[in-house]
Amino acid sequence: MSNEAATRHLTEAVLQGRVPIPAKGLDRSVRIHPSMEPRSIDPIRELIDEARKRFDDAPTEADAWLAPRLHSVLRFTRAEAADSGLWNHLALRVAPDHVFWRHLGKATQKKPVPMVSRSRFIGPFHTQAFARLWWAAELFRDGYDYDPVVVACGNQDVLNTALRMSIVLHRPTAQALLRLVKDGTAGAGREANALAKAVNAVASTLSLETLAPDAEPDTDAYRFWVGGREDSLILFDSLPDGPDDGRAPLDSVNRLEGVFRRICTEVPAVTKSG
């Protein structure tokens, strides 16, 4: 579903939930992708419905539970995941109820009727309701291990700030950042936000890739994982395994962790007393 087609139907009344999603009009713009056929949609609905049951009173907490499981079920290649049409379809035709539940804004004096930002339906990868979770899982997982994803998605400032930055494309950087979030050094939102910005600034003058080299991921293992999408299991109470395409080199992660800890002592906004 193209952005142009989706935009035409996302009126203010729709975004406020006063009128339903115009399904028939949207369906005229849909092209079916193999990953979005009816049979493959059922597991997605199972996950979304379960997330609502578990976190009905705390929608933001659903991100950390849903992200690794959504990634495991939606076994896209990165090229497929870069197609915004997939995410538009998922948000508008498969699970618009989740978008309203998770991202409905608060009433204000200027906007007394709460509404969902249009970008949650058709926005960039770091903002769109489902793309942000999938890409967070893809960029913050450590090979097959989704535990770092839970840490990343449990901190909204990591999702809202770090996910936008190219530094997290470097796996040792992403893993070192999350270590400091996990152990509480930069655990609060303000601290995680400040650390990500400070590391991003350092990366403009210091080559993190040279200081802490990454290993080439095993592309064959990733393709094997993608090819098993129909056999993927939905695990509600334990984490699934991601693609076994190799973890970030431990020496590199350790080296960057030391660098980032020094940054924490030099950036007042990161420290607890700052």
Side-chain angles (χ1 to χ4, degrees):
M1 182 185 301
S2 70
N3 291 337
E4 294 77 14
T7 299
R8 288 198 300 270
H9 296 283
L10 284 174
T11 64
E12 183 174 284
V14 169
L15 294 171
Q16 291 174 341
R18 293 189 289 111
V19 299
I21 297 286
K24 291 183 179 180
L26 289 167
D27 285 348
R28 286 193 288 270
S29 304
V30 169
R31 54 181 176 82
I32 299 298
H33 186 278
S35 297
M36 286 291 157
E37 291 177 347
R39 184 177 61 176
S40 61
I41 287 172
D42 291 341
I44 303 170
R45 281 298 337 176
E46 285 186 55
L47 284 176
I48 290 168
D49 292 342
E50 182 67 18
R52 178 67 177 269
K53 291 177 186 176
R54 291 179 176 234
F55 304 99
D56 193 35
D57 295 329
T60 58
E61 294 180 15
D63 290 348
W65 184 90
L66 186 55
R69 292 167 175 84
L70 188 70
H71 186 268
S72 180
V73 167
L74 291 175
R75 299 192 176 194
F76 295 153
T77 65
R78 288 193 178 188
E80 288 174 326
D83 181 358
S84 62
L86 289 173
W87 304 115
N88 296 346
H89 180 66
L90 186 56
L92 285 161
R93 294 297 293 117
V94 178
D97 55 321
H98 176 84
V99 183
F100 279 103
W101 171 69
R102 172 62 184 85
H103 294 290
L104 186 64
K106 296 182 179 179
T108 65
Q109 188 171 5
K110 289 186 177 180
K111 295 183 178 180
V113 180
M115 64 187 297
V116 176
S117 169
R118 184 175 282 104
S119 65
R120 297 301 186 180
F121 284 102
I122 59 169
F125 80 93
H126 49 74
T127 304
Q128 203 270 356
F130 295 107
R132 67 196 283 269
L133 299 180
W134 192 95
W135 279 104
E138 173 65 10
L139 296 176
F140 290 118
R141 66 183 175 85
D142 192 11
Y144 64 85
D145 184 6
Y146 282 125
D147 281 325
V149 178
V150 176
V151 176
C153 295
N155 187 304
Q156 291 299 306
D157 279 86
V158 173
L159 276 177
N160 295 334
T161 301
L163 186 60
R164 300 168 180 259
M165 298 176 175
S166 61
I167 54 172
V168 298
L169 295 172
H170 182 236
R171 297 188 302 166
T173 296
Q175 294 307 313
L177 278 170
L178 291 179
R179 282 187 181 182
L180 273 65
V181 173
K182 184 176 182 178
D183 72 10
T185 302
R190 174 172 171 264
E191 296 155 6
N193 190 21
L195 176 60
K197 290 180 177 179
V199 170
N200 195 53
V202 167
S204 66
T205 57
L206 177 67
S207 174
L208 300 180
E209 292 84 355
T210 302
L211 176 65
D214 194 2
E216 284 294 325
D218 185 340
T219 55
D220 288 337
Y222 195 93
R223 282 195 292 266
F224 178 80
W225 175 80
V226 169
R229 59 166 59 110
E230 292 186 2
D231 301 321
S232 59
L233 297 175
I234 300 177
L235 302 175
F236 287 165
D237 296 313
S238 60
L239 286 175
D241 287 336
D244 192 10
D245 57 352
R247 306 183 76 164
L250 186 58
D251 287 347
S252 292
V253 178
N254 289 341
R255 191 172 300 120
L256 288 181
E257 180 185 356
V259 172
F260 297 166
R261 288 194 184 281
R262 289 196 295 274
I263 289 175
C264 286
T265 66
E266 298 168 1
V267 179
V270 182
T271 64
K272 295 289 193 300
S273 59

